[in-house]
Amino acid sequence: MNEKGLPLVRVLDALRDARSEDFSYSESEVLGSMCTAPHEVAREAARLFEETNLGDPGHFPGLRRLESEYLDMLLELVSAPEGATGLFLSGGTEGNVIACAAARARFRARRGKGPGSVPNVVVSEEAHFSFDKAARLLDLELRRVPVDEERRIDLAAAEAAVDDDTCLIVAITGTTEYGAIDPVERLGALATTHDLPLHVDAALGGFILPFLPAAGRAPIPWDMAVEGVASITMDPHKMGQSTIPGGSLLVRDPAYLEPLLIETPYVTTKAQAGVLGTRPGAGVAAAWAVARHLGREGYHALVTRCLETTDRFRRLCERNGLNVTGGPLNVLLVHTSDPAAVQEDLSKRGWRVNTVPRLGAVRIVVMPHVTEEALGRFLPELVAAVAPLPPNKVTS
Ligand code: 0PR
């Protein structure tokens, strides 16, 4: 650390320098991320609440009210029954880890203490690595089962994987690397038959699926209206268009979280179930603000725009000879023999895509900041990076 403090202007200059090295959402340069430019109202709310801490909410009753109102909005969005509850968290990872911890606690309570086998979690091979973290932290066995041709969990394989040591089944509604949607109703039935909880990882899909019908698409059953769904992860900091960090875990029965509650004697909560102690209030205020400002109508419009842009860009890619796949959401994969080289090439041209080495592709996620105009400029560069062609051969 420097001995003498630097003048404010120099610190700010250094910060601006560092920031200028970053790629930007606002210029649509970042095309492979699942995060997005926060809505202006979310930015403003985060600024207003930047010093607040939900680890000790007695000091911030206004913010505590916003958190409870926001969780009520989410619970309504996922068709939660009366009495359901939720936690505002730091993102999808925390949501999935806590869901696994709750399932393990339920399993242990039923099984009793004593020497037992390692509980397992049944999930598709497409599961986000947050489940590997959960398995490592909680000493669980992650049973990743194969998928069908649309990269949804293979039901027969899921059924075969469930045994007496299973503590949780997981459905993913919007897989990280493909945007596939597991059949939640069928998995809910499987969970119910085996008296197991079903966790839905809707980190991505949670802010898309509720708005599909108004976006002119067929509804997909995915939420607590489906029997067997015990918990749902959904992230305001992805398609919720809020600031980072912002995640949530919604739980049908508050008793599910009770074994995780830790008494917190020196702060103004009685007990906490989440991982964080000091917890940023800014994310809650931002998520509340963007939800209030957009309302259902605003999210309908956002989802419609992202899905229509995705469809149009997919067709454009196909017309230009690219091999494109991806599920029914806003995730597109462009296949190539060398995803890392394509990523690097595009990076030099000012575009950031992510790689999906497992599927031999680069990933584009049409998030709210990704405009049709930017994708139009990006297309020739993508074509050139994937299969070098003279730019005048590009069809728009
Ligand atoms: N569940 C699913 C289905 C996810 O896709 C993700 C993250 C998570 C859980 C974990 O969420 P958190 O990262 O909020 O803990 N999926 C994105 C991904 O790995 C995260 C991401 C976001 C990656 C922005 C890159 C990026 O630029 O693709």
Side-chain angles (χ1 to χ4, degrees):
M1 187 181 282
N2 38 298
E3 191 57 39
K4 280 191 186 306
L6 294 177
L8 185 63
V9 277
R10 280 195 53 200
V11 174
L12 290 175
D13 280 349
L15 287 172
R16 283 189 203 100
D17 277 355
R19 192 70 183 109
S20 71
E21 292 166 28
D22 295 344
F23 289 82
S24 110
Y25 293 125
S26 57
E27 309 283 316
S28 282
E29 292 167 341
V30 179
L31 296 176
S33 171
M34 246 179 226
C35 291
T36 192
H39 192 288
E40 196 43 53
V41 76
R43 290 181 198 269
E44 187 56 35
R47 273 193 291 270
L48 268 174
F49 284 82
E50 66 190 352
E51 66 184 30
T52 61
N53 166 25
L54 277 165
D56 201 1
H59 305 324
F60 309 104
L63 175 64
R64 178 155 55 182
R65 176 169 58 76
L66 297 187
E67 181 177 41
S68 134
E69 287 176 10
Y70 185 67
L71 289 169
D72 285 346
M73 281 192 254
L74 293 189
L75 289 166
E76 190 204 320
L77 216 51
V78 304
S79 323
E82 196 64 33
T85 189
L87 300 171
F88 192 97
L89 303 171
S90 57
T93 300
E94 198 183 357
N96 289 340
V97 170
I98 294 173
C100 289
R104 187 184 73 160
R106 175 185 182 272
F107 176 87
R108 285 186 170 169
R110 292 172 170 227
R111 185 64 71 89
K113 292 246 171 349
S117 41
V118 177
N120 67 68
V121 173
V122 173
V123 65
S124 93
E125 62 190 10
E126 306 288 302
H128 184 260
F129 55 72
S130 47
F131 287 99
D132 295 294
K133 291 185 181 179
R136 178 81 58 85
L137 287 167
L138 297 163
D139 198 14
L140 298 165
E141 178 198 344
L142 198 61
R143 292 205 173 156
R144 287 176 173 268
V145 306
V147 290
D148 65 15
E149 67 289 349
E150 291 181 61
R151 312 211 76 78
R152 299 170 303 198
I153 195 165
D154 179 301
L155 279 161
E159 195 159 2
V162 172
D163 65 14
D164 288 348
D165 294 327
T166 302
C167 69
L168 181 68
I169 302 176
V170 176
I172 312 165
T173 57
T175 56
T176 307
E177 295 175 306
Y178 199 82
I181 298 180
D182 284 337
V184 176
E185 279 183 321
R186 306 280 296 275
L187 289 169
L190 178 65
T192 306
T193 308
H194 292 271
D195 190 21
L196 287 169
L198 177 69
H199 172 64
V200 178
D201 179 1
L204 172 66
F207 278 91
I208 301 178
L209 297 169
F211 308 111
L212 284 185
R217 317 229 163 186
I220 297 174
W222 72 284
D223 65 9
M224 288 192 199
V226 177
E227 193 188 353
V229 173
S231 58
I232 297 178
T233 291
M234 61 189 275
D235 286 357
H237 73 198
K238 296 192 171 72
M239 281 297 289
Q241 226 196 340
S242 192
T243 54
I244 300 168
S248 72
L249 182 70
L250 308 169
V251 174
R252 183 189 289 273
D253 179 0
Y256 194 42
L257 292 178
E258 266 166 29
L260 303 184
L261 287 171
I262 299 292
E263 279 182 37
T264 54
Y266 10 82
V267 293
T268 50
T269 48
K270 280 207 182 74
Q272 297 177 6
V275 175
L276 305 188
T278 298
R279 201 154 64 82
V284 171
W288 181 95
V290 70
R292 274 279 188 269
H293 182 64
L294 290 181
R296 282 180 184 262
E297 268 184 15
Y299 277 119
H300 288 152
L302 201 66
V303 166
T304 306
R305 179 162 60 76
C306 290
L307 294 182
E308 287 181 355
T309 303
T310 307
D311 289 350
R312 278 195 287 271
F313 189 63
R314 182 196 293 255
R315 286 197 293 273
L316 215 50
C317 286
E318 283 164 354
R319 278 216 295 278
N320 283 280
L322 297 173
N323 177 7
V324 193
T325 60
L329 300 181
N330 52 344
V331 178
L332 289 176
L333 298 193
V334 179
H335 293 272
T336 156
S337 54
D338 195 346
V342 170
Q343 183 191 46
E344 200 188 319
D345 185 355
L346 287 171
S347 199
K348 285 188 196 132
R349 297 164 192 258
W351 304 97
R352 288 297 301 168
V353 295
N354 286 48
T355 57
V356 183
R358 199 170 60 91
L359 303 178
V362 293
R363 181 185 77 173
I364 295 155
V365 191
V366 182
M367 296 298 290
H369 66 274
V370 175
T371 64
E372 197 124 11
E373 182 274 328
L375 287 173
R377 282 187 285 118
F378 170 64
L379 180 70
E381 315 248 28
L382 175 66
V383 169
V386 170
L389 271 184
N392 59 1
K393 287 270 170 61
V394 172
T395 316
S396 52

